[in-house]
């Protein structure tokens, strides 16, 4: 493979840039994008590598899944966000290896040298060793996942509209959401509201009373990371909205249209006689998974290359400056890092606020080091946590200040609009939220794609075939085939 240091050396904006340090950032999420913003216009060359050509605002994926907004409302092209800075280039591709001795990243059949490497490749979903459940219960980590959830639910309602069998109709109008954290609660609340309004207005043969959304988790309360009062408020609202809560209940298996249940070990310990009797199985045409999160696979890769420790979720345990032990030139930020250098020793949560602060601090620390200065230690400013449960209703824990209801929704809306990196998307989202609240109509209820098409996605650079049918890299022999334009689908979500 040819070693190329920086594409801009082919036609650099000015000669001095050739001697600037090269910073490679892997991942264009909250942390990576913030690092690019800080480094834009500074005397460093920056290469941002991502498998997708856009920044995705993951906290609003549930609104795509439930038809509140469209894909373009929660995604912004990276080239428009930071690519126009003269010292930043955007490259589409997936990093498959990192040579820490040579200080090179490997992707798209090339090797690129770096002076500083910032890993911000985010997280994906985990099924706790049961990957066979993935096609039966889509996660909600990328746009295609949200599209698949929406497609499955709307197709089930369309079939129910034409079904004479009442048992079959009840099955088609049932949804199970696994995971009672913020994502699960937000999805469950949005789906029940969608089903109720759609049945009342758009489907003539369906009965609103037959719509079921079951929220399932092994924990004893929804939103377990929030204060008990906010958890109780959220649970009460969800139940009033029609969501059935099945807590203290684990998934034993997932089959087509069925979730098999069992008690968690701690709950079963005091009920040996009862065992799993009475739990029953849940039958639903639509099953969604929001229960597990794992770090990007680059965490395990770097652990193998450097010996850096990782936690149970695959996150790299980093030093106080986010560097890997023994490798000050490599930083891990966002969902990929296990950062416990806080005042109380608690690990920073995997949310947008900490990720943005990490990415900005690391970029400023790199610049300070190049100037011979020492940065002030990283201090995380806790902005709190929030979850929207329904129209005009959210819960917010703002550093001990607990707010729920309309006031919570206003705070949630302002915070999310502030974190949206693109002004056009802010305006579009605010307009659609107001329209939906005023009319109770959703603007993105489209059924697209084929069954399960959205789960088997293979993203990254695709090479178009020349007339002879073989794509060539600069260093490949004339007869060596590379990636074809149409590749075999596989699940590759970070």
């Amino acid at each position: 493979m040819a070693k190329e240091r920086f594409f801009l050396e082919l036609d650099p904006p000015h000669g001095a840039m050739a001697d600037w340090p090269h910073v490679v950032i892997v991942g264009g999420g909250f942390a990576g994008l913030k690092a690019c913003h800080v480094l834009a216009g500074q005397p460093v060359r920056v290469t941002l590598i991502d498998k997708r050509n856009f920044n995705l605002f993951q906290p609003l994926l549930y609104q795509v899944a439930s038809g509140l907004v469209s894909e373009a409302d929660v995604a912004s092209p990276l080239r428009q966000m930071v690519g126009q800075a003269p010292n930043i280039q955007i490259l589409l591709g997936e990093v498959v290896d990192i040579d820490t001795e040579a200080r090179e990243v490997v992707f798209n059949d090339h090797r690129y040298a770096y002076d500083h490497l910032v890993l911000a490749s985010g997280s994906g979903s985990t099924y706790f060793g049961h990957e066979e459940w993935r096609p039966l219960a889509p996660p909600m980590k990328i746009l295609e996942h949200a599209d698949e959830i929406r497609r499955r639910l709307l197709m089930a309602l369309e079939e129910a509209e034409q079904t004479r069998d009442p048992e079959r109709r009840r099955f088609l109008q049932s949804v199970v959401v696994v995971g009672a954290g913020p994502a699960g609660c937000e999805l469950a609340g949005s789906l029940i509201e969608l089903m109720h309004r759609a049945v009342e207005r758009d489907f003539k043969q369906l009965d609103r009373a037959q719509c079921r959304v079951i929220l399932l988790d092994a924990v004893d309360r929804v939103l377990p990371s929030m204060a008990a009062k906010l958890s109780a408020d959220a649970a009460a609202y969800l139940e009033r909205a029609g969501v059935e809560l099945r807590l203290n209940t684990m998934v034993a298996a997932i089959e087509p249209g069925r979730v098999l249940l069992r008690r968690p070990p701690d709950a079963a310990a005091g009920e040996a006689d009862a065992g799993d009797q009475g739990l029953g199985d849940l039958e639903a045409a639509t099953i969604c998974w929001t229960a597990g999160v794992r770090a990007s696979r680059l965490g395990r890769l770097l652990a193998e290359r450097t010996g850096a420790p990782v936690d149970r979720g695959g996150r790299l345990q980093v030093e106080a400056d986010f560097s890997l032990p023994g490798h000050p030139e490599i930083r891990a930020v966002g969902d990929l890092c296990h950062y416990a250098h806080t005042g109380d020793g608690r690990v920073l949560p995997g949310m947008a606020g900490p990720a943005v602060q990490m990415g900005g601090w690391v970029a400023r620390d790199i610049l300070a080091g190049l100037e011979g200065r020492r940065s002030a230690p990283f201090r995380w400013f806790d902005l709190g946590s929030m979850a929207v449960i329904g129209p005009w209703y959210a819960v917010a824990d703002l550093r001990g200040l607990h707010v729920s209801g309309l006031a919570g929704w206003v705070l949630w809306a302002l915070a999310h609009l502030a974190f949206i990196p693109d002004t056009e998307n802010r305006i579009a989202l605010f307009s659609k939220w107001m329209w939906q609240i005023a009319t109770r109509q959703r603007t993105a209820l489209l059924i697209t794609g084929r069954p399960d098409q959205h789960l088997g996605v293979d993203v990254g650079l695709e090479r178009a075939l020349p007339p002879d049918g073989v794509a060539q890299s600069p260093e490949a022999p004339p007869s060596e085939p590379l990636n074809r334009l149409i590749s075999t689908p596989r699940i590759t979500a970070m």
Side-chain angles (χ1 to χ4, degrees), residues 431-489:
S431 301
K432 289 185 177 182
W433 290 345
M434 295 300 100
W435 175 259
Q436 193 273 333
I437 289 171
T439 66
R440 308 301 291 273
Q441 294 182 1
R442 303 190 177 221
T443 60
L445 295 178
L446 305 179
I447 301 175
T448 60
R450 300 185 303 275
D452 300 326
Q453 172 189 358
H454 299 301
L455 286 180
V457 294
D458 187 3
V459 298
L461 184 66
E462 295 177 347
R463 293 182 173 91
L465 294 178
D468 61 4
V470 177
Q472 299 292 330
S473 68
E475 69 281 357
S479 61
E480 181 180 346
L482 291 174
N483 295 342
R484 293 178 175 271
L485 181 60
I486 304 300
S487 56
T488 301

Side-chain angles (χ1 to χ4, degrees), residues 60 98 103 123 222 283 306 344 349 368 381:
L60 294 182
I98 299 173
R103 295 193 179 185
S123 62
V222 302
E283 296 186 353
T306 66
D344 55 8
F381 182 75

Side-chain angles (χ1 to χ4, degrees), residues 342-388:
T342 54
D344 55 8
R346 291 190 299 175
V347 178
L348 292 185
M351 298 190 301
V356 170
Q357 294 177 47
M358 293 179 202
W361 187 91
V362 164
R364 289 188 292 271
D365 188 59
I366 290 174
L367 294 175
L370 295 176
E371 297 171 358
R373 298 184 291 105
R374 292 180 61 88
S375 297
F378 175 77
R379 293 289 182 267
W380 172 50
F381 182 75
D382 186 3
L383 298 174
S385 56
M386 305 176 182
V388 62

